[in-house]
Amino acid sequence: MRIASILFLVILLCSTVQGFGQRIGYVDTEYILAQLPDYKAAQEEIERQSKRWQEQLDGLYAEIEDLYRKYREEEVLLSEAIKQQRQDEILEKEKAAKEFQRKYFGYEGELFKQREEKVKPVQERVFKAVEELAAEKKLDFIFDRAGDVTLLYANPGYDYSKLVLEKLGIR
């Protein structure tokens, strides 16, 4: 029991001493990006385009609401065949509106692609600068304090991913 306690204390002491040698820093990427004119311009352009698409989508849904309102007003006077025709027309318009929404606002839609095209290069420049700064200042880790804490850079010497894969039997 006494040997186990001493062994535990030695391991704890060694890991604590090793931890003191690491150099850590942080950045605020929201602040950094807000200072970059090309990021601001990209965001404004994306916002303008998004607003145009939203207005088109709102127009489609207003048209559907108008068709539905007219249908409800005239429903009692319509034959079954015409009722079915109007219902099909409304359903087709709803389907087209949902497709428009998916195409422009859905995951990997046009808005997503525009963000990737215009914002990602700016973000990559920021991350490259973070890496260069880490090398200059000899920092082991840099965290991002914007939003959730995110590890932006880590000294590759502290990456144990390959060792974990080896333990899992993957070479």
Side-chain angles (χ1 to χ4, degrees), residues 16 48 113:
T16 305
R48 280 192 302 273
K113 289 176 185 172

Side-chain angles (χ1 to χ4, degrees), residues 66-127:
D66 190 47
L67 285 173
Y68 186 70
R69 184 187 47 78
K70 286 180 183 175
Y71 170 76
R72 296 298 288 169
E73 289 173 356
E74 300 170 353
E75 182 178 17
V76 292
L77 305 172
L78 301 175
S79 68
E80 287 303 314
I82 293 178
K83 281 183 187 179
Q84 188 62 50
Q85 181 183 358
R86 296 257 183 103
Q87 289 172 359
D88 291 345
E89 181 183 2
I90 292 169
L91 288 175
E92 283 300 313
K93 294 273 186 188
E94 286 177 340
K95 187 176 176 182
K98 287 178 183 175
E99 177 60 26
F100 181 91
Q101 187 172 12
R102 186 198 60 74
K103 180 179 178 185
Y104 291 101
F105 295 103
Y107 179 70
E108 294 191 16
E110 290 300 315
L111 187 60
F112 178 83
K113 289 176 185 172
Q114 288 227 345
R115 281 197 177 108
E116 283 284 307
E117 178 184 312
K118 294 176 182 356
V119 173
K120 191 173 182 178
V122 179
Q123 290 173 328
E124 287 175 354
R125 277 192 10 247
V126 170
F127 294 140

